[in-house]
Amino acid sequence: MNKTDIRSMRLEQLKKMIADMRERSFRAKQLYEWMHVKHVSSFEEMTNLPKSLREKLQEMCDLTTLEIVGVQESRLDGTRKYLFRLPDGNVIESVLMRYKHGNSVCISSQAGCRMGCRFCASAIGGLVRGLTPAEMLEQVYRVGQDIGERISNVVVMGTGEPLDNYKNLISFIEMLTDENGLNIGQRSVTVSTCGLVPEIYALADHQYQITLALSLHAASQEKRLALMPVAQKYSLEETLEACNAYFKTTGRRVTYEYSLIRDVNDSLQDAQQLSALLRGKNCHVNLIPANPVKERDISPSKGHVAAAFKNELEKNGINVTIRREMGRDIDGACGQLRRRYQEER
Ligand code: SAH
């Protein structure tokens, strides 16, 4: 029989389980605190619970805990990449970025990915499975514990398509921002998607104050289609409409991510086309110098080309930044650490 994944349960669900077990109701909150504030890795450590209850829980439940199997630290900026082993043996990666305004963790939402973007290292091995809420939370908890500092920002921008793991993503957001847990502000959470349109509408309806980042990467349907298979399913027009709706429903400005790939999408004409698409929108464009991926034939745009691209957007009144590259010296692109680990086995 499958055991209950107790660290994936919201407080309400825990309360129900505790009631069904005929335990006293305040035990639910104690349990939640052990798992989501103190981040313990065993029931034994929950010392204010009666031993009999701990033993019962041990029998009924799995307490998902991720194990660090590797860490790489950038000598340039202190960025740390973590390789974690999941309870079933799969490995995933997370990245800690240290900014002046606080510590930010970039987490994976799936082991692998089935979106197939042509420039992305995570797409190469396909999808293994979506991560549970506990496995997403644990990435944040273990990184925080490892550095002994508070994590203030979380970006769901690692391996995987978060909206392709929708139900677990919602539980994750609820629990991450729950005042009884880590209590991260909704405004400090960003979810990045390649553009699953129905799920963008569904997410908007929750009215969270999180930031939606849309991976655009091209300013025409034709070009986007060549880079991102998801464009076969949802046109550029429909995708931008969904982002407009997200802004309308939540009041949160959407971020458009655009990886500058040398000689692919970085011409002045591309910049003009992008400006025409986004002009007048309350949005933010994040230009990302493409990360070279061994298996893919892509290189980042030259510095002056990127600067000219940015300039063209600014001329059109569009809010734009070139993302500062973090951890350049430690295996750039998303998914590459995981791939290397898999290849070495
Ligand atoms: N599936 C989600 C989140 C994961 S990818 C999404 O598509 O948004 C996080 C971001 O990194 C996305 O914008 C993705 O397109 C981008 N990305 C992937 N591979 C890259 C590469 N080699 N260089 C630059 N950006 C890349």
Side-chain angles (χ1 to χ4, degrees):
M1 198 185 85
N2 271 349
K3 286 189 174 185
T4 304
D5 173 13
I6 193 169
R7 211 195 290 266
S8 287
M9 291 171 81
R10 299 186 206 176
L11 184 54
E12 290 316 308
Q13 298 168 313
L14 267 186
K15 281 183 178 160
K16 185 165 178 306
M17 185 180 90
I18 286 292
D20 290 346
M21 291 169 76
R22 302 187 179 284
E23 294 284 341
R24 297 165 72 186
S25 60
F26 66 88
R27 297 294 180 205
K29 216 160 163 186
Q30 286 180 321
L31 247 170
Y32 198 85
E33 185 171 300
W34 282 114
M35 292 190 286
H36 301 288
V37 179
K38 297 183 177 142
H39 308 148
V40 296
S41 53
S42 70
F43 293 106
E44 256 165 50
E45 291 164 78
M46 303 181 177
T47 45
N48 61 0
L49 303 187
K51 193 153 186 275
S52 58
L53 174 56
R54 280 184 270 158
E55 283 170 359
K56 242 193 284 179
L57 291 170
Q58 173 85 45
E59 234 165 76
M60 287 170 48
C61 307
D62 279 324
L63 181 60
T64 298
T65 303
L66 300 197
E67 181 198 344
I68 298 179
V69 289
V71 187
Q72 278 185 306
E73 177 160 334
S74 165
R75 269 184 271 168
L76 304 175
D77 52 34
T79 296
R80 286 167 77 87
K81 283 212 173 190
Y82 290 84
L83 200 62
F84 286 111
R85 194 190 336 266
L86 307 178
D88 69 356
N90 274 298
V91 294
I92 53 160
E93 61 182 83
S94 323
V95 184
L96 164 75
M97 290 161 291
R98 294 164 176 273
Y99 296 106
K100 276 195 213 87
H101 63 260
N103 294 312
S104 183
V105 178
C106 172
I107 68 149
S108 294
S109 56
Q110 299 183 310
C113 185
R114 58 173 173 164
M115 296 298 124
C117 298
R118 308 268 182 251
F119 44 81
C120 180
S122 296
I124 294 167
L127 177 68
V128 181
R129 66 173 175 86
L131 302 187
T132 62
E135 288 167 337
M136 290 187 256
L137 290 164
E138 270 283 297
Q139 296 173 59
V140 182
Y141 299 167
R142 294 304 146 203
V143 171
Q145 196 173 55
D146 185 58
I147 62 170
E149 290 173 29
R150 183 170 167 80
I151 304 299
S152 52
N153 286 268
V154 173
V155 295
V156 188
M157 243 185 226
T159 297
E161 170 48 50
L163 297 188
D164 188 35
N165 187 19
Y166 186 79
K167 203 169 145 265
N168 288 346
L169 176 79
I170 296 299
S171 286
F172 165 72
I173 294 170
E174 295 273 353
M175 293 169 78
L176 183 72
T177 58
D178 186 341
E179 60 182 4
N180 296 298
L182 209 51
N183 194 16
I184 290 190
Q186 287 188 359
R187 285 167 182 261
S188 305
V189 178
T190 298
V191 170
S192 177
T193 178
C194 65
L196 300 187
V197 166
E199 285 79 10
I200 292 176
Y201 284 103
L203 185 64
D205 285 340
H206 282 280
Q207 306 241 13
Y208 298 133
Q209 286 297 293
I210 63 173
T211 299
L212 178 72
L214 190 277
S215 297
L216 194 55
H217 305 319
S220 71
Q221 168 65 8
E222 194 193 356
K223 256 197 182 175
R224 198 160 185 265
L225 205 48
L227 292 172
M228 305 174 71
V230 68
Q232 289 165 16
K233 203 157 177 196
Y234 306 111
S235 71
L236 180 58
E237 200 187 334
E238 286 174 279
T239 308
L240 291 175
E241 229 170 79
C243 293
N244 289 346
Y246 187 89
F247 174 65
K248 216 170 141 200
T249 307
T250 63
R252 297 288 292 162
R253 186 177 84 157
V254 172
T255 295
Y256 293 96
E257 292 165 280
Y258 194 104
S259 293
L260 287 168
I261 311 171
R262 188 181 301 183
D263 301 330
V264 171
N265 63 358
D266 62 351
S267 71
L268 198 57
Q269 202 198 343
D270 291 313
Q272 286 162 348
Q273 240 173 350
L274 183 61
S275 300
L277 273 188
L278 301 182
R279 203 161 22 220
K281 279 196 212 294
N282 191 347
C283 67
H284 175 241
V285 175
N286 205 348
L287 298 174
I288 312 164
N291 270 304
V293 179
K294 200 174 70 197
E295 296 85 345
R296 311 281 205 203
D297 185 22
I298 65 156
S299 356
S301 304
K302 295 209 167 104
H304 72 272
V305 174
F309 197 98
K310 172 168 183 263
N311 193 31
E312 180 61 29
L313 295 184
E314 278 174 341
K315 250 178 31 198
N316 284 282
I318 295 167
N319 204 303
V320 54
T321 46
I322 297 187
R323 187 189 291 167
R324 190 153 67 90
E325 285 178 89
M326 305 287 280
R328 209 29 282 216
D329 52 333
I330 50 165
D331 248 329
C334 349
Q336 293 203 62
L337 192 60
R338 174 170 176 266
R339 273 199 63 70
R340 220 186 42 203
Y341 178 83
Q342 290 170 330
E343 276 168 5
E344 280 165 5
R345 312 230 99 199

